[in-house]
Structure formats: structure tokens, C-alpha cells
Amino acid sequence: MDLSTLTRIIPARQRSDLDALGPTVVPLAGGSELFADPRAHLTGLVDLQAFGWPALTFPSDGLEIAATCTLAELSRLPRQAGWAAHPLFYQCCTALFGSFKVWNVATVGGNLATSLPAGPMITLAVALDAELLVWRGDGSDEIVPAGEFVTGNMTNVLGPTDVLRSVRVPLTSLQATTAYRKIALSPLGRSGAVLAGRLDRAADGADGRFVLTVTAATLRPVQLRYPRVPAANELARDIAAIDCWFTDAHGAADWRRAMGLLLGEEIRAELALVGS
């Protein structure tokens, strides 16, 4: 969709170019969501792709994903030795409501910043306990835990002059075993529930912490944490106690709660076998 009220597009080549951001000037990454609806209040865009950030970098303590990394680039993440969580990256990409053409423009940062409950990059970042680097409009940097970034349906901690710079995934999460489940009301429909489980390894190689992340079915991501794989009744009790199930065209709250219970138990059982 054309944004016919725009009068300028500013290529961001240095951080000071972000000073133009404000209520009527917003960041542009891939634009797959930005150009999906009319936004008559906008007068300008700041093109983040002009920064030329490398999509993926591999520091010794994990993985850094640029906010401008596309889902297509992320889906081709090369497997690294010991990264048992590697399948989760592609799995979460497949949860995006969009074709392969969208994969080639939609960005990790854009999906996070849009903050739809069904945003699969939210699932990925939260499930792997990632940290998000936010460039604040006052020139400061802030590290935000992924689980605290999204605050509700299309709301997050970003202000109008802030920019999401990157996603940092710790090595311990990359080395964990993961399990993934997604369900929607139609084969190609927007996700009604996306759950990801993670089983960490303790320092001595024994089974460690179990983490279940519930998204798409809830207004904000919800994490349940246990020192080890919980019993079925314990996990079911905690999933049932989640208080932010919601209803929209992609699923009723009671159905989403039921799917959370079903898929959560499938993940628990799968990771319990890994740990046995």
C-alpha cells in the first residue's frame, strides 16, 4: 500500500540520522507491516537498512542478530557445533503469516517491534532468553530482556524515538534442547498458539532448567520456569493459571487455553524423553 503522505525518506548511515524520528517519522526496516495499512499521519521514514548492519554475527558467547536481518536470512542460519537449539530458528520463521516473498523483506526487528501476539520472532527471542539492544532517543543504550520487551497486543517498551538495534542470544540457550508447537484455525492462517520449550544442560552435563514459552494465544509472551522437567499436573496447573488468553478472529480464548494445555503437555513429554 502506498503511503501517500510521505515527503521524505532518510537513509540512516549514522546514529544522528535517527534524530529525525518522532510521532510522524518512523523507522523503516523491511516495511512488510508498515506498508500493510494506511498511515495518514506519517510524513517521513528513516531507512534502517542504510546502516548496513551484518545480519548475523557469531561472538564466542552466542549469536547476535541485527534488527534488519530478514527472516529469509535467519532461516538459513548455519548450524554451529553444539547448537542443539538450531531447529527452533527455522521453525519460528515458518510461523510467520506470509509467503516466501514476505520472508525476503520482513525483518526480525520489525516483527518484534510490531509486537503482534502471533509474532514468531517474539517466540524465538523469549524462548531463548535473548537480550535486546535498544538505542534510546536520548542517545543512551539499554539492554532489555526479551521477555520484558512486549507489554501487550502491539505494545512494547519502545518510545517514538527509540530503535531496536539487535537481538543477542546467549550460548547457553543455543546449546539447549528445544521443542516447538504451533496451531492455527486454518493451514495458512495466523497462529492461534505458538509454544516453545527449552531444556537447558547443567554444568555437569545433567538435565537442567525447563522453560516453556507461550505466545500467540496470549496478549503478551508468558514464560513458565522449572528447575527440571515438571510433572504433567504441575505444568497443566500453571498453564491453566495464565491470565492473558484472548479472543480475536484467529481463535477464542477458551480454545487457545485448551491448545496451550495440549501443546504444553506435548512439549513437556518430548523434552522429558530427551532428559531420561
Side-chain angles (χ1 to χ4, degrees):
M1 177 175 293
D2 291 337
L3 299 179
S4 58
T5 57
L6 297 180
T7 60
R8 56 179 175 156
I9 298 178
I10 302 167
R13 297 190 174 91
Q14 52 193 5
R15 189 162 174 177
S16 60
D17 291 326
L18 301 178
D19 293 343
L21 294 173
T24 64
V25 180
V26 298
L28 168 66
S32 59
E33 193 279 332
L34 182 63
F35 287 93
D37 295 300
R39 289 174 166 82
H41 67 289
L42 293 183
T43 61
L45 304 175
V46 178
D47 184 2
L48 303 183
Q49 296 285 6
F51 276 120
W53 297 327
L56 302 166
T57 53
F58 301 87
S60 60
D61 60 347
L63 169 69
E64 185 169 336
I65 307 167
T68 49
C69 173
T70 66
L71 267 71
E73 291 171 317
L74 186 66
S75 72
R76 297 191 294 266
L77 174 71
R79 181 181 289 275
Q80 306 291 313
W83 286 16
H86 181 267
L88 188 64
F89 289 86
Y90 182 80
Q91 289 168 331
C92 285
C93 288
T94 66
L96 181 72
F97 181 50
S99 70
F100 71 92
K101 292 181 285 187
V102 175
W103 279 34
N104 283 301
V105 294
T107 62
V108 173
N111 193 257
L112 283 158
T114 301
S115 298
L116 285 166
M121 297 299 99
I122 298 169
T123 312
L124 179 69
V126 176
L128 295 179
D129 282 347
E131 293 182 331
L132 312 185
L133 173 58
V134 175
W135 283 358
R136 293 297 186 187
D138 63 3
S140 63
D141 294 351
E142 183 175 351
I143 302 297
V144 180
E148 300 174 10
F149 180 78
V150 176
T151 57
N153 186 359
M154 299 188 74
T155 62
N156 56 52
V157 301
L158 293 178
T161 61
D162 298 335
V163 165
L164 177 58
R165 166 63 181 88
S166 60
V167 179
R168 187 73 171 254
V169 184
L171 183 61
T172 52
S173 293
L174 293 167
Q175 294 172 335
T177 304
T178 58
Y180 166 88
R181 295 292 188 279
K182 176 217 168 182
I183 195 166
L185 291 177
S186 62
L188 298 178
R190 181 179 289 178
S191 301
V194 181
L195 281 72
R198 193 181 88 233
L199 183 62
D200 293 341
R201 306 300 293 179
D204 60 1
D207 301 324
R209 179 175 52 187
F210 174 90
V211 182
L212 181 72
T213 300
V214 182
T215 62
T218 51
L219 290 171
R220 61 184 183 278
V222 175
Q223 272 196 330
L224 303 175
R225 293 175 176 267
Y226 307 87
R228 62 192 62 83
V229 177
N233 61 345
E234 183 182 7
L235 182 64
R237 179 200 66 205
D238 294 343
I239 293 174
I242 292 173
D243 62 359
C244 55
W245 309 105
F246 74 105
T247 295
D248 67 2
H250 307 287
D254 59 349
W255 173 77
R256 285 179 151 129
R257 178 179 178 274
M259 293 304 99
L261 288 164
L262 173 66
L263 302 180
E265 172 53 23
E266 288 184 2
I267 287 173
R268 187 204 68 82
E270 179 179 331
L271 292 180
L273 288 175
V274 172
S276 61

